[in-house]
Amino acid sequence: MNRNRWMGPGASVWGSGFRPFYLLGTLYAPLVLVGAAAALGGLVTLPATSGTPASWHGHEMIFGFAAALIVGTLLTALPSWAGTPEVRGGPLALLAGLWLAGRLAMWAGPWLPKAVCTAADLALVPALLALLGPAVWRARNRFFRWLVPILLAFAAANAVHHAGLLLHDPALSRLGLEAGVYTVVILFALMGGVLTPIFTGNATGGALPGMDLRLEILAAGSIALLAALDLCGAPPAWVGLAALGCAVVHAVRTARWRGWLVARQPLLSVMHLSFVWLVLAFVLRAVAGLTGLVSPAAWLHVFTVGSLGMMMLGLMTRVALRHTGRPLVVPVPMRFAYAAMFAAVPVRLAAEIHALPVAFLVAALLWVGAFAVFLLLFARALLAPSLPRAVPPRMVGS
């Protein structure tokens, strides 16, 4: 392939995975909410392959929006952390094109055969694994091998969702969405659980205890057990007890990272707060299973908005600053974006518990606004060449 075609004006966007995928993901965030709201209001008709407006919204949040930011982060982190070749130029454009094709298929389904829509939406993760899988599996640090089965599970969950839609089986399609969420939870807990203590340790001069491998295995295993019980339809009390176990294990794990030592550093505090929301999400799932006082869906929004939303904003800011040659100084508007994302969690939870339409709207505006601030601040940096740096980054956010 002629590399010169990727070296002209505007080619910087194809220089690293975070650039196109952070742009696409943040641009897509408001479209997902607007599309779902328009469908609920009867203003548009969703594709036959998309199910209900709630199903479409859930799918696009997990396999569209979240997938873009996850792929962008992995493509940027793995070359430094696992020593994999960096995906750039044509291969990166191919991945971005596959993501975009999946999104167009999920919007343009009425005019496309169902098989075409399904194939377009399922293509991204297999292509990503084809590019990264062999190198990750051969990496000297075997820790990163867990990415391969998690990404395979993520792709399988999407396939199950589409199978349910094609078979007109709402329960099967919902199972695929729930499985997709759990794969993201495990990915969040493992990847965030590596980055958060390392960055905190660097900032505090190594004031943290070393990694406890048994606790890390227990943390991942507790989520896997919860997912297995929940997805298999185990009795609510069993699911509640498993969720309670997750809450205890992850509370201990989070406390070991001593987030209070970096409370004045926004880039680190948002990462610690994201794990606090994770613990609360598990507590809510336990309350739902053991008492029925809250909906089982309550934990989902605490995770997706609080845990995932705050971690994404924090990592995206860190990566965008460091990997475009800028100092790790958080712009003041981003601090307000972090606050908006934090505030969106209790508002969204109140909307879920008390069925308040106004709260739904406020939470959506806070969530979209937080990502809009990132886009306004960093879109130009993501498109432009990086500023010169004396020492290249050794790792994401180093």
Side-chain angles (χ1 to χ4, degrees), residues 133-177:
V136 169
W137 203 257
R138 293 193 303 267
R140 181 173 300 177
N141 188 341
R142 295 184 178 182
F143 171 81
F144 294 99
R145 289 185 178 182
W146 56 259
L147 278 172
V148 175
I150 289 178
L151 290 174
L152 285 171
F154 189 68
N158 197 12
V160 169
H161 172 72
H162 278 284
L165 294 175
L166 292 172
L167 296 172
H168 304 286
D169 186 342
L172 185 61
S173 64
R174 185 171 59 251
L175 179 66
L177 291 182

Short mmCIF file of all heavy atoms in Angstrom, two decimals, residues 133-177:
data_model
loop_
_atom_site.label_atom_id
_atom_site.label_comp_id
_atom_site.label_asym_id
_atom_site.label_seq_id
_atom_site.Cartn_x
_atom_site.Cartn_y
_atom_site.Cartn_z
N GLY A 133 -5.19 -9.38 17.45
CA GLY A 133 -5.20 -10.63 18.19
C GLY A 133 -3.89 -11.38 18.20
O GLY A 133 -3.36 -11.72 19.27
N PRO A 134 -3.30 -11.69 17.03
CA PRO A 134 -2.04 -12.45 17.03
C PRO A 134 -0.93 -11.75 17.79
O PRO A 134 -0.18 -12.39 18.54
CB PRO A 134 -1.71 -12.58 15.53
CG PRO A 134 -3.04 -12.45 14.85
CD PRO A 134 -3.83 -11.47 15.66
N ALA A 135 -0.80 -10.42 17.62
CA ALA A 135 0.26 -9.69 18.31
C ALA A 135 0.03 -9.66 19.81
O ALA A 135 0.97 -9.79 20.60
CB ALA A 135 0.35 -8.27 17.76
N VAL A 136 -1.22 -9.50 20.23
CA VAL A 136 -1.53 -9.49 21.66
C VAL A 136 -1.23 -10.86 22.26
O VAL A 136 -0.68 -10.96 23.37
CB VAL A 136 -3.01 -9.10 21.89
CG1 VAL A 136 -3.43 -9.36 23.33
CG2 VAL A 136 -3.23 -7.63 21.53
N TRP A 137 -1.57 -11.90 21.56
CA TRP A 137 -1.35 -13.26 22.09
C TRP A 137 0.14 -13.58 22.18
O TRP A 137 0.55 -14.37 23.03
CB TRP A 137 -2.06 -14.28 21.21
CG TRP A 137 -2.35 -15.55 21.93
CD1 TRP A 137 -1.69 -16.74 21.84
CD2 TRP A 137 -3.37 -15.75 22.91
NE1 TRP A 137 -2.23 -17.67 22.67
CE2 TRP A 137 -3.28 -17.09 23.35
CE3 TRP A 137 -4.37 -14.94 23.44
CZ2 TRP A 137 -4.13 -17.63 24.31
CZ3 TRP A 137 -5.22 -15.47 24.39
CH2 TRP A 137 -5.11 -16.79 24.82
N ARG A 138 0.95 -12.96 21.32
CA ARG A 138 2.40 -13.20 21.35
C ARG A 138 3.14 -12.24 22.27
O ARG A 138 4.36 -12.34 22.43
CB ARG A 138 2.98 -13.07 19.94
CG ARG A 138 2.55 -14.15 18.96
CD ARG A 138 3.41 -14.11 17.71
NE ARG A 138 3.37 -12.80 17.07
CZ ARG A 138 2.53 -12.47 16.09
NH1 ARG A 138 1.66 -13.37 15.64
NH2 ARG A 138 2.55 -11.27 15.55
N ALA A 139 2.41 -11.28 22.86
CA ALA A 139 3.05 -10.26 23.69
C ALA A 139 3.81 -10.90 24.85
O ALA A 139 3.38 -11.91 25.41
CB ALA A 139 2.01 -9.28 24.23
N ARG A 140 4.93 -10.29 25.20
CA ARG A 140 5.76 -10.83 26.28
C ARG A 140 4.99 -10.84 27.60
O ARG A 140 5.12 -11.77 28.39
CB ARG A 140 7.03 -9.99 26.41
CG ARG A 140 7.98 -10.46 27.50
CD ARG A 140 9.28 -9.68 27.45
NE ARG A 140 9.95 -9.85 26.17
CZ ARG A 140 11.08 -9.23 25.84
NH1 ARG A 140 11.66 -8.40 26.69
NH2 ARG A 140 11.63 -9.43 24.66
N ASN A 141 4.22 -9.81 27.84
CA ASN A 141 3.40 -9.75 29.05
C ASN A 141 2.09 -10.49 28.78
O ASN A 141 1.21 -9.99 28.07
CB ASN A 141 3.13 -8.29 29.44
CG ASN A 141 2.45 -8.17 30.79
OD1 ASN A 141 1.87 -9.13 31.31
ND2 ASN A 141 2.52 -6.98 31.37
N ARG A 142 1.92 -11.66 29.35
CA ARG A 142 0.74 -12.48 29.08
C ARG A 142 -0.54 -11.90 29.65
O ARG A 142 -1.63 -12.36 29.31
CB ARG A 142 0.97 -13.88 29.63
CG ARG A 142 2.10 -14.64 28.94
CD ARG A 142 2.20 -16.05 29.47
NE ARG A 142 3.23 -16.81 28.79
CZ ARG A 142 3.51 -18.08 29.02
NH1 ARG A 142 2.81 -18.75 29.96
NH2 ARG A 142 4.46 -18.70 28.37
N PHE A 143 -0.40 -10.90 30.50
CA PHE A 143 -1.59 -10.28 31.10
C PHE A 143 -2.57 -9.82 30.03
O PHE A 143 -3.78 -9.90 30.20
CB PHE A 143 -1.15 -9.10 31.97
CG PHE A 143 -2.29 -8.25 32.46
CD1 PHE A 143 -3.05 -8.65 33.57
CD2 PHE A 143 -2.62 -7.06 31.83
CE1 PHE A 143 -4.11 -7.87 34.01
CE2 PHE A 143 -3.66 -6.29 32.27
CZ PHE A 143 -4.41 -6.69 33.37
N PHE A 144 -2.03 -9.34 28.91
CA PHE A 144 -2.90 -8.73 27.90
C PHE A 144 -3.65 -9.76 27.06
O PHE A 144 -4.50 -9.39 26.26
CB PHE A 144 -2.08 -7.81 27.00
CG PHE A 144 -1.54 -6.62 27.73
CD1 PHE A 144 -0.22 -6.61 28.18
CD2 PHE A 144 -2.33 -5.54 28.00
CE1 PHE A 144 0.28 -5.52 28.87
CE2 PHE A 144 -1.84 -4.45 28.70
CZ PHE A 144 -0.53 -4.44 29.14
N ARG A 145 -3.38 -11.03 27.26
CA ARG A 145 -4.12 -12.05 26.51
C ARG A 145 -5.60 -12.05 26.85
O ARG A 145 -6.42 -12.50 26.05
CB ARG A 145 -3.52 -13.43 26.78
CG ARG A 145 -2.15 -13.64 26.15
CD ARG A 145 -1.69 -15.08 26.36
NE ARG A 145 -0.40 -15.32 25.71
CZ ARG A 145 0.23 -16.49 25.70
NH1 ARG A 145 -0.33 -17.54 26.31
NH2 ARG A 145 1.39 -16.63 25.10
N TRP A 146 -5.94 -11.56 28.05
CA TRP A 146 -7.36 -11.56 28.42
C TRP A 146 -8.20 -10.69 27.50
O TRP A 146 -9.41 -10.84 27.43
CB TRP A 146 -7.53 -11.12 29.87
CG TRP A 146 -6.93 -9.79 30.23
CD1 TRP A 146 -5.76 -9.57 30.86
CD2 TRP A 146 -7.50 -8.50 29.99
NE1 TRP A 146 -5.52 -8.23 31.03
CE2 TRP A 146 -6.58 -7.54 30.52
CE3 TRP A 146 -8.67 -8.04 29.41
CZ2 TRP A 146 -6.80 -6.17 30.45
CZ3 TRP A 146 -8.89 -6.67 29.34
CH2 TRP A 146 -7.97 -5.76 29.86
N LEU A 147 -7.54 -9.78 26.77
CA LEU A 147 -8.29 -8.95 25.83
C LEU A 147 -8.95 -9.77 24.73
O LEU A 147 -10.05 -9.43 24.27
CB LEU A 147 -7.38 -7.90 25.20
CG LEU A 147 -7.09 -6.64 26.01
CD1 LEU A 147 -6.03 -5.80 25.33
CD2 LEU A 147 -8.37 -5.85 26.22
N VAL A 148 -8.28 -10.82 24.29
CA VAL A 148 -8.80 -11.62 23.17
C VAL A 148 -10.14 -12.26 23.52
O VAL A 148 -11.13 -12.08 22.79
CB VAL A 148 -7.77 -12.65 22.70
CG1 VAL A 148 -8.36 -13.55 21.62
CG2 VAL A 148 -6.52 -11.94 22.17
N PRO A 149 -10.25 -13.03 24.62
CA PRO A 149 -11.57 -13.62 24.93
C PRO A 149 -12.63 -12.57 25.26
O PRO A 149 -13.81 -12.78 24.97
CB PRO A 149 -11.29 -14.52 26.14
CG PRO A 149 -9.99 -14.06 26.69
CD PRO A 149 -9.21 -13.53 25.55
N ILE A 150 -12.24 -11.45 25.86
CA ILE A 150 -13.24 -10.42 26.17
C ILE A 150 -13.80 -9.82 24.88
O ILE A 150 -15.02 -9.62 24.74
CB ILE A 150 -12.64 -9.33 27.07
CG1 ILE A 150 -12.40 -9.89 28.47
CG2 ILE A 150 -13.57 -8.13 27.15
CD1 ILE A 150 -11.76 -8.91 29.42
N LEU A 151 -12.92 -9.52 23.92
CA LEU A 151 -13.40 -8.97 22.65
C LEU A 151 -14.22 -9.99 21.88
O LEU A 151 -15.21 -9.64 21.22
CB LEU A 151 -12.22 -8.49 21.81
CG LEU A 151 -11.51 -7.23 22.33
CD1 LEU A 151 -10.27 -6.93 21.50
CD2 LEU A 151 -12.45 -6.02 22.33
N LEU A 152 -13.84 -11.26 21.97
CA LEU A 152 -14.65 -12.31 21.34
C LEU A 152 -16.03 -12.38 21.98
O LEU A 152 -17.04 -12.53 21.29
CB LEU A 152 -13.94 -13.66 21.46
CG LEU A 152 -12.74 -13.90 20.53
CD1 LEU A 152 -12.02 -15.19 20.91
CD2 LEU A 152 -13.19 -13.95 19.07
N ALA A 153 -16.08 -12.27 23.31
CA ALA A 153 -17.37 -12.28 24.00
C ALA A 153 -18.20 -11.06 23.63
O ALA A 153 -19.43 -11.16 23.48
CB ALA A 153 -17.13 -12.31 25.52
N PHE A 154 -17.55 -9.93 23.44
CA PHE A 154 -18.26 -8.72 23.03
C PHE A 154 -18.88 -8.90 21.66
O PHE A 154 -20.05 -8.56 21.43
CB PHE A 154 -17.27 -7.55 23.03
CG PHE A 154 -17.89 -6.19 22.83
CD1 PHE A 154 -18.70 -5.64 23.81
CD2 PHE A 154 -17.66 -5.47 21.67
CE1 PHE A 154 -19.27 -4.39 23.64
CE2 PHE A 154 -18.22 -4.22 21.49
CZ PHE A 154 -19.03 -3.67 22.48
N ALA A 155 -18.11 -9.47 20.72
CA ALA A 155 -18.64 -9.74 19.38
C ALA A 155 -19.76 -10.76 19.43
O ALA A 155 -20.78 -10.62 18.73
CB ALA A 155 -17.51 -10.22 18.47
N ALA A 156 -19.61 -11.79 20.26
CA ALA A 156 -20.65 -12.81 20.38
C ALA A 156 -21.94 -12.23 20.94
O ALA A 156 -23.04 -12.58 20.52
CB ALA A 156 -20.16 -13.96 21.25
N ALA A 157 -21.82 -11.33 21.92
CA ALA A 157 -23.00 -10.70 22.49
C ALA A 157 -23.76 -9.90 21.44
O ALA A 157 -25.00 -9.95 21.37
CB ALA A 157 -22.59 -9.79 23.65
N ASN A 158 -23.03 -9.19 20.59
CA ASN A 158 -23.68 -8.44 19.52
C ASN A 158 -24.38 -9.38 18.54
O ASN A 158 -25.49 -9.12 18.07
CB ASN A 158 -22.64 -7.59 18.79
CG ASN A 158 -23.28 -6.49 17.95
OD1 ASN A 158 -24.47 -6.20 18.06
ND2 ASN A 158 -22.47 -5.86 17.10
N ALA A 159 -23.73 -10.52 18.25
CA ALA A 159 -24.34 -11.49 17.34
C ALA A 159 -25.61 -12.09 17.94
O ALA A 159 -26.61 -12.29 17.23
CB ALA A 159 -23.33 -12.61 17.04
N VAL A 160 -25.61 -12.35 19.25
CA VAL A 160 -26.81 -12.87 19.91
C VAL A 160 -27.93 -11.84 19.84
O VAL A 160 -29.10 -12.19 19.58
CB VAL A 160 -26.49 -13.23 21.38
CG1 VAL A 160 -27.78 -13.50 22.16
CG2 VAL A 160 -25.57 -14.44 21.44
N HIS A 161 -27.59 -10.58 20.05
CA HIS A 161 -28.61 -9.53 19.95
C HIS A 161 -29.24 -9.51 18.56
O HIS A 161 -30.47 -9.46 18.43
CB HIS A 161 -27.97 -8.17 20.26
CG HIS A 161 -28.89 -7.01 20.00
ND1 HIS A 161 -29.97 -6.72 20.81
CD2 HIS A 161 -28.89 -6.08 19.02
CE1 HIS A 161 -30.59 -5.66 20.34
NE2 HIS A 161 -29.96 -5.24 19.25
N HIS A 162 -28.41 -9.55 17.53
CA HIS A 162 -28.95 -9.53 16.17
C HIS A 162 -29.74 -10.79 15.86
O HIS A 162 -30.76 -10.73 15.14
CB HIS A 162 -27.81 -9.35 15.16
CG HIS A 162 -27.37 -7.94 14.99
ND1 HIS A 162 -28.09 -7.01 14.27
CD2 HIS A 162 -26.29 -7.28 15.48
CE1 HIS A 162 -27.47 -5.85 14.28
NE2 HIS A 162 -26.38 -5.98 15.01
N ALA A 163 -29.31 -11.93 16.39
CA ALA A 163 -30.07 -13.15 16.18
C ALA A 163 -31.46 -13.03 16.77
O ALA A 163 -32.46 -13.45 16.16
CB ALA A 163 -29.33 -14.34 16.80
N GLY A 164 -31.55 -12.42 17.94
CA GLY A 164 -32.86 -12.20 18.55
C GLY A 164 -33.74 -11.31 17.72
O GLY A 164 -34.95 -11.54 17.59
N LEU A 165 -33.15 -10.27 17.12
CA LEU A 165 -33.93 -9.37 16.27
C LEU A 165 -34.41 -10.08 15.02
O LEU A 165 -35.58 -9.93 14.61
CB LEU A 165 -33.09 -8.14 15.90
CG LEU A 165 -32.69 -7.20 17.05
CD1 LEU A 165 -31.77 -6.11 16.53
CD2 LEU A 165 -33.92 -6.60 17.70
N LEU A 166 -33.53 -10.85 14.39
CA LEU A 166 -33.90 -11.54 13.15
C LEU A 166 -34.95 -12.62 13.41
O LEU A 166 -35.79 -12.89 12.53
CB LEU A 166 -32.65 -12.15 12.51
CG LEU A 166 -31.63 -11.14 11.97
CD1 LEU A 166 -30.36 -11.86 11.54
CD2 LEU A 166 -32.21 -10.35 10.80
N LEU A 167 -34.89 -13.23 14.60
CA LEU A 167 -35.86 -14.28 14.94
C LEU A 167 -37.09 -13.73 15.65
O LEU A 167 -37.96 -14.50 16.06
CB LEU A 167 -35.18 -15.32 15.85
CG LEU A 167 -34.02 -16.10 15.23
CD1 LEU A 167 -33.32 -16.95 16.30
CD2 LEU A 167 -34.52 -16.97 14.08
N HIS A 168 -37.15 -12.40 15.78
CA HIS A 168 -38.27 -11.75 16.48
C HIS A 168 -38.44 -12.31 17.89
O HIS A 168 -39.54 -12.59 18.36
CB HIS A 168 -39.58 -11.90 15.68
CG HIS A 168 -39.49 -11.38 14.30
ND1 HIS A 168 -39.47 -10.03 14.00
CD2 HIS A 168 -39.38 -12.03 13.09
CE1 HIS A 168 -39.37 -9.86 12.69
NE2 HIS A 168 -39.30 -11.05 12.11
N ASP A 169 -37.30 -12.45 18.57
CA ASP A 169 -37.26 -12.98 19.93
C ASP A 169 -36.71 -11.89 20.85
O ASP A 169 -35.49 -11.76 21.02
CB ASP A 169 -36.36 -14.22 19.97
CG ASP A 169 -36.38 -14.91 21.34
OD1 ASP A 169 -36.80 -14.27 22.33
OD2 ASP A 169 -35.97 -16.08 21.41
N PRO A 170 -37.57 -11.07 21.45
CA PRO A 170 -37.10 -9.97 22.29
C PRO A 170 -36.22 -10.42 23.45
O PRO A 170 -35.27 -9.72 23.82
CB PRO A 170 -38.40 -9.31 22.80
CG PRO A 170 -39.45 -9.74 21.83
CD PRO A 170 -39.05 -11.10 21.35
N ALA A 171 -36.53 -11.57 24.03
CA ALA A 171 -35.73 -12.05 25.16
C ALA A 171 -34.30 -12.35 24.73
O ALA A 171 -33.34 -12.04 25.45
CB ALA A 171 -36.37 -13.30 25.76
N LEU A 172 -34.13 -12.93 23.55
CA LEU A 172 -32.79 -13.25 23.05
C LEU A 172 -32.01 -11.97 22.73
O LEU A 172 -30.82 -11.86 23.05
CB LEU A 172 -32.88 -14.14 21.83
CG LEU A 172 -31.56 -14.68 21.26
CD1 LEU A 172 -30.85 -15.54 22.31
CD2 LEU A 172 -31.80 -15.48 19.98
N SER A 173 -32.68 -11.01 22.09
CA SER A 173 -31.99 -9.76 21.77
C SER A 173 -31.60 -9.02 23.05
O SER A 173 -30.52 -8.43 23.14
CB SER A 173 -32.87 -8.87 20.89
OG SER A 173 -34.04 -8.47 21.56
N ARG A 174 -32.47 -9.05 24.06
CA ARG A 174 -32.15 -8.40 25.33
C ARG A 174 -30.98 -9.11 26.02
O ARG A 174 -30.11 -8.48 26.63
CB ARG A 174 -33.37 -8.41 26.24
CG ARG A 174 -33.16 -7.63 27.55
CD ARG A 174 -34.46 -7.48 28.30
NE ARG A 174 -35.07 -8.76 28.65
CZ ARG A 174 -36.17 -9.24 28.08
NH1 ARG A 174 -36.78 -8.54 27.13
NH2 ARG A 174 -36.66 -10.40 28.45
N LEU A 175 -30.93 -10.45 25.90
CA LEU A 175 -29.81 -11.21 26.47
C LEU A 175 -28.49 -10.76 25.84
O LEU A 175 -27.47 -10.63 26.54
CB LEU A 175 -30.03 -12.70 26.23
CG LEU A 175 -28.93 -13.63 26.75
CD1 LEU A 175 -28.88 -13.59 28.27
CD2 LEU A 175 -29.17 -15.06 26.26
N GLY A 176 -28.49 -10.52 24.53
CA GLY A 176 -27.29 -10.05 23.87
C GLY A 176 -26.84 -8.70 24.39
O GLY A 176 -25.64 -8.47 24.61
N LEU A 177 -27.78 -7.80 24.60
CA LEU A 177 -27.44 -6.49 25.14
C LEU A 177 -26.86 -6.61 26.55
O LEU A 177 -25.87 -5.95 26.89
CB LEU A 177 -28.67 -5.58 25.16
CG LEU A 177 -29.22 -5.12 23.81
CD1 LEU A 177 -30.41 -4.19 24.02
CD2 LEU A 177 -28.14 -4.43 22.99
#
